[in-house]
Amino acid sequence: MGSYILRRIIINIPVLLIVTILVFILVEIAPGDMVDFFVTDDTLQYMTEQDLIDLRERLGLNDPAPIRYVKWMGRIFQGDFGFSYIQAVPVTELLGQRIGNSLLLMGTGLILGISVGIPLGVFTALRQYSFSDFALSGLSFVSISMPAFISGIIGMYIFAVKLNWVPAGGMRTPGIYTIPDLIHHLILPGLILASMQMASIMRYTRFSMLEVLNQDYVLTATAKGMKRHVVINHHALRNALLPVVTVIGLSIPQLIVGAVFLETIYTWPGMGTLYYNAVISRDFPIIMGANLIIAVIVLLANLLTDVVYSVVDPRIRYE
Amino acid sequence: MQKNKRSILISICMLLLIIAVAPSAAQDEKVITVGLGVGPGGDEEGRPWTGGAGNTTHIKQFITPTIFNELGTEMIPYAAESWEANDDFTVWTYTLRDNLMWSDGTQLTANDWKFTADFVTASDFDTDQPGYLNQAFSDAEGFDARRAGDADELVGVQVIDDLTLEYTLSQPNPRHFINQFRTYILPQHAIDFEPSEYFTNTWFRDPERMVGSGPFVVSEYERDAFLTLEKNPFYFEGEPKLDKIIIRHFGGDISAAVLALSAGEIDFTYVEPTDLEVLGDGYEVFSGNSTVVVFIDINYKNVPEFWQDIRVRQAILYAIDREAITSQVLQDTFTSIPCPVSFSELWADDLDWYEYNPEKAMELLAESGVDPADIEMEWVGHSGYDNILHNSALQAMQAYLAQIGINNTITYQFLDIPTFRDTYTSDGPWTFRYRGLGYPIFGGNPANNWGSAGGQGGDFKGYDTQSAGLDGAIDAINAALTTEAYFEAMSDFCSLHNELLPDLQLWVGNRFGAASSRLVDFWWQPAGGGGPYYDHSHLWDISG
């Protein structure tokens, strides 16, 4: 297993390299650049041509694109992600602050989604065609179909604005640094994110359980007189989880996307809002740094999925 | 199963407990929470002399500008109590108030102003917006040498005494004081870093180091979350009534700010016109002229020759019922304008409003020999106008033009700023664009968009502003020796533009802010670009 993990990590390095090159090319071919973002109609009248040249020089935009990429890569290998053009803060500092916030939000959504989605999937599989099966399935379709930003806004309107149960955005109350306050702010965006995960995990678990429950070995176990919960938890669920593990792993990128929308709506200071604002303003160091981090997270998530897969299914062994 | 049910019940109870006991802020202080960085030009990370300096409204809370540009035609003395010029407007003398204090009890003097001039004009001064320092100091003698690193100071700015500063200009400027409305004076005794470190320095957000002259000072800061200001007891207009102002960050997301206002979590934010209906009653609504004039810009280099014929351009305006659009589609949040000058007091009585008259439009096209079917207009908007109101207004215009047989396509592209600028270049293939341009009465230079010397004027769009007389009209504005002459020249420019129609002026927008009912003596003005303006924040209070 150890050599397998090491091999996967080594294979992923060129993948990361390709990702950075592709992102760099996309940023390069996008119309406009950083200086266009800085220069407004208001300030344009007071800026000279030399000012614009100096600005480009200051941002390193006068270098040819390949040179800029190579310089950036060189700094990355030294752990230097550069400075944000807009916020004048080291990118590592920004990413460090934001990634924790994003992982908290995403992690909450994922954990809640798994811990509720799987039991609900089992529940509905065992009550196929019942009222609760139809009701939960219907709700899951609604949840899957509804875009994150819509459910986020609806959730905020109902629970924050109308009912005043939770704060209307933000990560904490100014000046208060307590866990309960953090949780208070996390509840709504976390639940919204979790609801999307719950719905899809529930659906896959239900489908997978229904397939497994009709297998011969399950029927044999039942016929042997084993208790129902033993049959379900020890025989059926374990096998039914195999495809669900894959789905969970593949949902990580979707979780990141969902987090971007929710972070914007709930003004949650995470990677999503940082990345979005960086793209709008062509803040190159943040775009490249954030993309690199996100790519690493996705690749690690895939690796973790494979490892968990082998844990769940002892038949699978990586060499 | 019983165990599962018990676990679920316990989890729900814990969740409710957390909601119930979640702490709130201390109740004994007068604190308001606002979203001052929301709205056009807002920059929650803005600092003096950088990108957010001219456009964000929170900077003036902790650093006083020398002069305020009030909406309309007034300049308000602020840190500078008075100013006067010599006969030929080459020497300007500014007198500071004698009761200006920094938040550490030190007096603010002309030496701080001189220090600021030398500091921000240093050749290695690190800023993303040199336009602001250019505006304040570029016409002072020795500016070029200073910026090139060939001079140890800006010789054109000198201290006369503790309260008096003198500018010696390289050229006469009858309205030099206008250029000072974004001059933020820095504390010589407290700045502990070099000009080259300005942009990356955390001084402005560090309560231990930062010293300000505004009604409030920085007390706490969390990046991308909030900036807390507490009252400055040394403020020259008196100690503020509020103990703290918390400026909450919304990343420019107006919807999030409006929802927070609705939930009672903040006391004020900029709002879009469509948000006012959602908010309903119970809020004090501030509104005013945004000075952002919206118009159809024409690229004469790429449109057919017949667009040079003024009758064609007049026909377009006659074909569109702007009054109906502003009242019914834009819901009175915009006002029709006859020219780029949006202040009605400067409109001559004999301006042509091109009131809706489709028959006249057809007549004019017939006179010019242009078949409406041959007129194709493909125009593009940008993300600054991606709301339902502008969308509807564009569709309405499209329908009006179609009624007289003009084919036009509106491609409503949500272009971000860099893309918009890159697309609409001098050599670009664009033909028409639906755009806005902030043109406050002071601080704006019409040459930028309507003169041959401007960045997006005559040469940019292929319109001969020289021959048309627009350059002359703009020169008259800039050369006016008195304020009265200045306004008169602006009025003449307005009349000329109205007559020539180099572009098709449509309307000017109002901007809105909404404040909760608990605020007392709160005041907000939608100045062009966001400010700065005088808002007497030391008088803001809360009821009860």
Side-chain angles (χ1 to χ4, degrees), chain B residues 154-447:
Chain B
L154 182 59
V155 298
V157 176
Q158 294 296 332
V159 172
I160 304 301
D161 57 47
D162 278 353
L163 298 180
T164 312
L165 192 87
E166 187 176 88
Y167 276 79
T168 304
L169 307 182
S170 51
Q171 302 184 59
N173 184 348
R175 279 169 307 286
H176 179 261
F177 60 94
I178 293 174
N179 293 345
Q180 303 308 310
F181 82 94
R182 286 177 188 148
T183 298
Y184 294 97
I185 301 175
L186 304 176
Q188 181 179 21
H189 68 289
I191 294 289
D192 56 9
F193 54 90
E194 299 300 317
S196 59
E197 301 169 311
Y198 189 84
F199 194 64
T200 55
N201 209 282
T202 58
W203 188 89
F204 283 98
R205 297 288 186 259
D206 187 346
E208 301 300 316
R209 295 156 68 204
M210 199 255 165
V211 165
S213 54
F216 297 88
V217 289
V218 174
S219 70
E220 195 175 355
Y221 168 69
E222 183 170 325
R223 177 170 293 282
D224 303 316
F226 60 89
L227 173 70
T228 301
L229 308 176
E230 60 184 18
K231 66 181 174 187
N232 174 13
F234 297 102
Y235 180 59
F236 75 97
E237 288 196 282
E239 189 172 305
K241 294 185 178 179
L242 291 173
D243 294 300
K244 283 185 183 173
I245 297 177
I246 298 173
I247 299 169
R248 192 169 139 186
H249 290 193
F250 288 96
D253 188 340
I254 299 171
S255 305
V258 171
L259 285 168
L261 180 68
S262 303
E265 289 185 13
I266 64 171
D267 296 294
F268 169 82
T269 180
Y270 168 89
V271 295
E272 297 270 308
T274 45
D275 297 324
L276 293 174
E277 279 183 40
V278 173
L279 285 174
D281 299 324
Y283 297 93
E284 184 175 1
V285 177
F286 299 85
S287 70
N289 184 351
S290 68
T291 75
V292 177
V293 296
V294 181
F295 57 99
I296 298 172
D297 212 358
I298 305 170
N299 187 357
Y300 292 92
K301 294 178 182 176
N302 295 333
V303 296
E305 191 70 28
F306 58 69
W307 281 97
Q308 297 282 351
D309 189 332
I310 193 173
R311 289 171 295 187
V312 174
R313 304 195 297 277
Q314 288 172 335
I316 300 299
L317 283 182
Y318 277 121
I320 299 171
D321 189 346
R322 288 180 294 154
E323 286 305 312
I325 291 176
T326 52
S327 65
Q328 292 166 36
V329 178
L330 297 171
Q331 299 171 22
D332 287 321
T333 57
F334 285 77
T335 309
S336 296
I337 48 172
C339 69
V341 180
S342 61
F343 298 92
S344 58
E345 56 262 49
L346 299 182
W347 295 341
D349 295 332
D350 60 350
L351 291 177
D352 193 336
W353 282 84
Y354 302 101
E355 288 176 5
Y356 179 55
N357 192 336
E359 292 76 28
K360 177 129 189 178
M362 299 285 287
E363 270 175 39
L364 286 167
L365 288 176
E367 278 175 29
S368 63
V370 177
D371 184 346
D374 292 335
I375 300 178
E376 291 182 359
M377 297 175 70
E378 184 171 327
W379 42 358
V380 179
H382 74 66
S383 57
Y385 302 97
D386 65 341
N387 60 56
I388 194 166
L389 289 181
H390 281 291
N391 238 325
S392 303
L394 285 167
Q395 287 169 16
M397 286 198 289
Q398 187 176 26
Y400 278 119
L401 292 174
Q403 275 184 350
I404 64 167
I406 292 178
N407 300 313
N408 64 115
T409 307
I410 297 178
T411 311
Y412 209 68
Q413 297 180 18
F414 298 104
L415 302 177
D416 57 24
I417 294 171
T419 305
F420 186 78
R421 292 197 185 287
D422 194 66
T423 301
Y424 293 97
T425 59
S426 177
D427 300 324
W430 67 280
T431 51
F432 301 93
R433 55 181 176 173
Y434 177 79
R435 63 166 300 194
L437 184 64
Y439 183 34
I441 196 114
F442 292 121
N445 187 350

Side-chain angles (χ1 to χ4, degrees), chain A residues 32 36 38-42 45-46 51 58 87-89 98 156 165 167-169 172 177 184 264 282, chain B residues 19 22 126 128-129 131 134 182 199-200 220 222-224 248 253 259 265 416 418-419 421-422 435 443 445:
Chain A
D36 291 318
F38 283 139
V39 175
T40 65
D41 290 320
D42 196 22
Q45 57 191 312
Y46 298 113
D51 286 328
R58 175 176 171 272
Q87 302 193 47
V89 175
R98 299 293 198 112
M156 186 188 277
W165 285 358
R172 54 169 55 92
Y177 299 94
H184 197 207
T264 304
R282 305 286 195 276
Chain B
I19 293 172
D126 190 16
D128 58 347
Q129 277 287 10
N134 289 347
R182 286 177 188 148
F199 194 64
T200 55
E220 195 175 355
E222 183 170 325
R223 177 170 293 282
D224 303 316
R248 192 169 139 186
D253 188 340
L259 285 168
E265 289 185 13
D416 57 24
T419 305
R421 292 197 185 287
D422 194 66
R435 63 166 300 194
N445 187 350

